[in-house]
Amino acid sequence: MKNNETLEVIYTTKNNATQHMADGGRYNVSMAFYKSDQLSKPTQNFPCYVDLNQTLFAEVTLHSTDPNL
């Protein structure tokens, strides 16, 4: 995963008009992966391999002082 990433969001409004917004910014995030929905023991081995159709749970935390994020 790149440290600096560009994200585009496309969504459809209630009146089916497609809107396209592009924006940029720098965000400090941390990610942890779990093999259980209990989120009690994060995976420590990387790369993390899972079987086909096996569920992998992810916890993403945004570290920011901006209350609007």
Side-chain angles (χ1 to χ4, degrees):
M1 179 177 278
K2 298 176 186 176
N3 286 337
N4 295 313
E5 192 74 30
T6 300
L7 176 68
E8 290 188 53
V9 177
I10 298 174
Y11 62 93
T12 303
T13 60
K14 288 184 179 180
N15 63 359
N16 292 326
T18 301
Q19 302 292 320
H20 183 187
M21 298 172 27
D23 201 354
R26 293 180 178 262
Y27 303 99
N28 183 10
V29 297
S30 58
M31 295 180 72
F33 295 99
Y34 302 85
K35 293 190 177 183
S36 165
D37 63 352
Q38 301 299 312
L39 303 181
S40 59
K41 185 178 174 189
T43 299
Q44 299 295 322
N45 299 327
F46 294 96
C48 177
Y49 295 99
V50 294
D51 294 328
L52 186 63
N53 295 322
Q54 178 183 351
T55 302
L56 181 66
F57 300 88
E59 176 183 45
V60 180
T61 304
L62 172 65
H63 304 280
S64 175
T65 56
D66 186 344
N68 295 317
L69 292 176

